[in-house]
Amino acid sequence: MRYLSTRGGMAPATFSEILLGGLAPDGGLAVPEHYPTLAPGELAGWRGLSYPELAFAILSKFADDLPAADLRALIDRTYSADTFRTEAITPVTNLLDNVWLLRLSNGPTLAFKDIAMQLLGNLFEYALLKTGGHLNILGATSGDTGSSAEYAMRGKRGIQVFMLSPHQKMSRFQTAQMFSLQDPNIFNIAVHGVFDDCQDIVKAVSNDAEFKARHAIGTVNSINWARVAAQIVYYFKGWLAVTTHDDQEVSFAVPSGNFGNICAGYIAKRMGLPIRRLILATNENNVLDEFFRTGVYRVRQTAQVAHTSSPSMDISKASNFERFIFDAVGRDPAMVRELWRQVDTFGFFDLSGTDAFRAILPSGFVSGSSNHPDRMAVIRWVYQECGTVVDTHTADGIKVGLEYREQGVPLLCLETALPAKFEDSIVEALGHPPERPAGYENIEALPQRFEVMEADVAAVKAYIARHAS
Ligand SMILES: *Cc1c(COP(=O)(O)O)cnc(C)c1O
């Protein structure tokens, strides 16, 4: 399997060659040169596989340059009941007649990002050990991504993590989760400022090519191809869990922000998984819902991004969207370059009335959005009807999913975080806090390790230079 850039300026590369990278050198995103399709009977043969076995069957198609035994060992080490607290890794729970919750949030940080990030940690360590290299990961977080990255990279040889977060602006739970890590390769930097100040610092450091090369600075952001690839697996796992015959179509409802999760679902469908609808749900930041309804992709200015009660979906642009658009425009890199030139210049592009947009609609994508009162009502309703407490992001997905529910078509709603992460919203909806999984009862009381710094690029660079491997 070779990988190309959506903007056409990268020589075909292997999985290993793109693994550690962020953007392609031409500013595009890495995509497989074609999607592997299932052989007749292949899907039927996957019934009864464990999560690691299924992950190997799928990921070996995308990472075919890695020795099979090595990939198998990395996958086995990643997807264990020790890490994900359940043998099934992504179990399903029935909510209503033919409506299911696909539970993706049993990893160490209680959000679905762990599923891909835990594999990434093991893949990165493996790749660096092979080459004798090292990597200093620099990131900015408002909560979820940073902790998921830190729990994936803690203790890994050859890797250090420098994670910037806005000082005293994350939830107490999220702060405790990150800052209680005592691993010497994890550096938490609490910046006096807001999330955008943190992100600006990361951009400024990344734009200093000399500094970046000297200190082997890398990222783990959501455009990393291996993260998307790892997420394809649970669409298959969910499908296998709720179907009995091999051409049974199911629909998935996906709480969406950067289009990473649902992009994996789209690829699963392209591989031949019988998916009827991919139901994209946004919160008040409805960039993607607007696109699927109108054909206009209009990014938001930072100041226009609403701070909502499903904060991990508060995005101004959807960083993985370019992968999907690349296919929609017939894999024409010149067209992709032109569309993103328009985004950079005018803040939007408009595909309405084009063949590309006409082709997207029958492809299974539908969309909708949700707001604070909606998600409060859904959390209450799901609790009363099903006895299950869902988090705010998952509630956005369920809300839109039910709007598109069809008779006789199983609907799988993706659970992207556990309610324990968003206690205040659950108290608001239900009047009592959610249960915390075992081991998380007292995390706020653990000793915390972090550095407080001004929002000053030079100071952050000096700190990295002092501590980088
Ligand atoms: C990251 C995240 C999302 C959005 O996922 P994308 O892949 O960015 O679309 C939704 N819910 C939660 C809880 C998240 O952490």
Side-chain angles (χ1 to χ4, degrees), residues 105 110-113 144-145 222 227 231 254-263 288 310 312-313 315 319-320 391 393-394 415-418 421-422:
S105 307
L110 313 184
F112 87 101
K113 291 194 173 67
D144 275 355
T145 310
S222 73
R227 283 184 61 181
Q231 291 171 177
V254 188
S256 293
N258 275 316
F259 204 79
N261 196 351
I262 203 163
C263 187
L288 288 168
S310 44
S312 301
M313 292 154 62
I315 52 120
S319 30
N320 273 293
D391 98 292
H393 307 77
T394 307
E415 173 210 65
T416 55
L418 288 194
K421 289 199 94 163
F422 302 97

Side-chain angles (χ1 to χ4, degrees), residues 46-382:
W46 288 351
R47 289 197 184 278
L49 292 191
S50 68
Y51 195 96
E53 287 165 343
L54 183 64
F56 178 74
I58 294 166
L59 293 173
S60 57
K61 295 177 187 290
F62 291 100
D64 57 352
D65 59 316
L66 296 184
D70 291 358
L71 181 62
R72 186 64 223 249
L74 290 167
I75 286 173
D76 285 348
R77 180 140 38 98
T78 303
Y79 298 114
S80 72
D82 273 354
T83 305
F84 287 92
R85 295 179 299 129
T86 140
E87 214 50 73
I89 309 298
T90 61
V92 295
T93 297
N94 187 247
L95 287 182
L96 305 163
D97 183 34
N98 239 355
V99 180
W100 308 78
L101 196 60
L102 177 56
R103 293 167 44 207
L104 307 177
S105 307
N106 292 310
T109 73
L110 313 184
F112 87 101
K113 291 194 173 67
D114 288 336
I115 293 181
M117 205 72 93
Q118 287 286 321
L119 181 66
L120 207 64
N122 285 324
L123 281 169
F124 274 25
E125 182 181 52
Y126 168 82
L128 291 166
L129 282 175
K130 250 187 166 172
T131 59
H134 60 98
L135 188 66
N136 291 294
I137 293 170
L138 174 64
T141 188
S142 55
D144 275 355
T145 310
S147 58
S148 187
E150 290 187 354
Y151 279 76
M153 303 296 166
R154 63 187 295 198
K156 293 281 187 283
R157 286 160 292 179
I159 301 176
Q160 310 221 70
V161 178
F162 297 87
M163 192 57 67
L164 311 186
S165 59
H167 187 40
Q168 294 178 336
K169 299 219 168 52
M170 297 188 292
S171 78
R172 268 162 46 81
F173 185 93
Q174 287 174 318
T175 307
Q177 213 172 25
M178 282 178 61
F179 293 2
S180 63
L181 286 178
Q182 300 297 330
D183 307 73
N185 72 327
I186 303 294
F187 298 90
N188 282 305
I189 303 174
V191 174
H192 280 296
V194 294
F195 170 68
D196 292 307
D197 296 314
C198 299
Q199 203 157 37
D200 287 346
I201 295 172
V202 171
K203 275 189 205 143
V205 174
S206 302
N207 285 338
D208 181 343
E210 192 274 327
F211 185 88
K212 205 176 155 193
R214 180 149 43 97
H215 295 293
I217 304 287
T219 56
V220 286
N221 50 25
S222 73
I223 55 165
N224 180 286
W225 165 254
R227 283 184 61 181
V228 176
Q231 291 171 177
I232 296 169
V233 177
Y234 53 70
Y235 284 88
F236 282 84
K237 191 74 164 60
W239 183 90
L240 288 163
V242 304
T243 59
T244 48
H245 60 276
D246 294 327
D247 49 5
Q248 166 82 63
E249 287 192 320
V250 311
S251 294
F252 289 91
V254 188
S256 293
N258 275 316
F259 204 79
N261 196 351
I262 203 163
C263 187
Y266 158 76
I267 294 170
K269 185 169 158 75
R270 293 292 303 263
M271 291 172 71
L273 188 67
I275 296 178
R276 180 165 165 80
R277 281 179 169 171
L278 285 162
I279 304 166
L280 181 146
T282 69
N283 63 17
E284 292 88 335
N285 296 295
N286 60 350
V287 181
L288 288 168
D289 181 31
E290 179 173 85
F291 174 79
F292 284 100
R293 281 185 295 105
T294 66
V296 177
Y297 177 64
R298 183 170 59 86
V299 301
R300 311 294 197 252
Q301 302 303 311
T302 312
Q304 297 172 323
V305 177
H307 291 278
T308 75
S309 47
S310 44
S312 301
M313 292 154 62
D314 292 346
I315 52 120
S316 56
K317 57 183 180 2
S319 30
N320 273 293
F321 194 48
E322 188 170 328
R323 290 196 160 101
F324 173 70
I325 291 298
F326 178 64
D327 285 351
V329 299
R331 301 203 133 206
D332 174 1
M335 188 65 181
V336 172
R337 287 197 301 273
E338 169 56 20
L339 292 175
W340 263 267
R341 187 193 66 78
Q342 293 178 14
V343 169
D344 291 341
T345 317
F346 310 115
F348 73 98
F349 63 70
D350 182 357
L351 291 184
S352 63
T354 64
D355 288 345
F357 192 59
R358 271 189 289 275
I360 286 171
L361 295 179
S363 73
F365 270 96
V366 290
S367 73
S369 61
S370 171
N371 58 30
H372 183 74
D374 290 334
R375 67 184 75 92
M376 291 296 119
V378 168
I379 291 169
R380 249 175 253 130
W381 184 79
V382 171

Side-chain angles (χ1 to χ4, degrees), residues 394-439:
T394 307
D396 289 334
I398 294 173
K399 186 256 177 187
V400 178
L402 290 178
E403 288 170 358
Y404 287 102
R405 183 182 176 194
E406 294 167 287
Q407 267 301 315
V409 182
L411 171 65
L412 281 150
C413 298
L414 272 52
E415 173 210 65
T416 55
L418 288 194
K421 289 199 94 163
F422 302 97
E423 235 169 54
D424 293 350
S425 296
I426 303 302
V427 171
E428 182 183 338
L430 300 181
H432 59 82
E435 251 175 57
R436 283 196 182 181

